[in-house]
Amino acid sequence: MLETLESLPRGMKVVMLVPHEPRPLFRILGVNGFHYRCRFLPAGCFEVTVWHAADTLAASAGLE
């Protein structure tokens, strides 16, 4: 996961669907300069969206 994020272009996000809330990942993301949003979906999984912490364009795009 972190290898994928290291090559993430500015202005882009990574979206993952996972069966449980990946709480241990959240601290790792913060330490490595990323922000995230996690939400539970009606389908019974969690959607985790990740972007560069300094990337204001990605942070404001489509996170309603």
Side-chain angles (χ1 to χ4, degrees):
M1 170 72 171
L2 289 177
E3 290 176 8
T4 299
L5 292 173
E6 288 174 5
S7 62
L8 183 66
R10 301 290 183 195
M12 301 296 291
K13 302 176 204 165
V14 171
V15 178
M16 305 178 292
L17 298 177
V18 294
H20 60 281
E21 189 174 17
R23 289 181 185 228
L25 176 63
F26 301 153
R27 183 178 184 288
I28 294 167
L29 290 171
V31 167
N32 285 280
F34 293 95
H35 283 174
Y36 67 90
R37 182 193 66 180
C38 182
R39 64 183 182 150
F40 184 73
L41 299 178
C45 61
F46 287 87
E47 177 187 77
V48 181
T49 305
V50 181
W51 63 94
H52 290 279
D55 192 344
T56 56
L57 176 63
S60 64
L63 292 177
E64 51 290 319

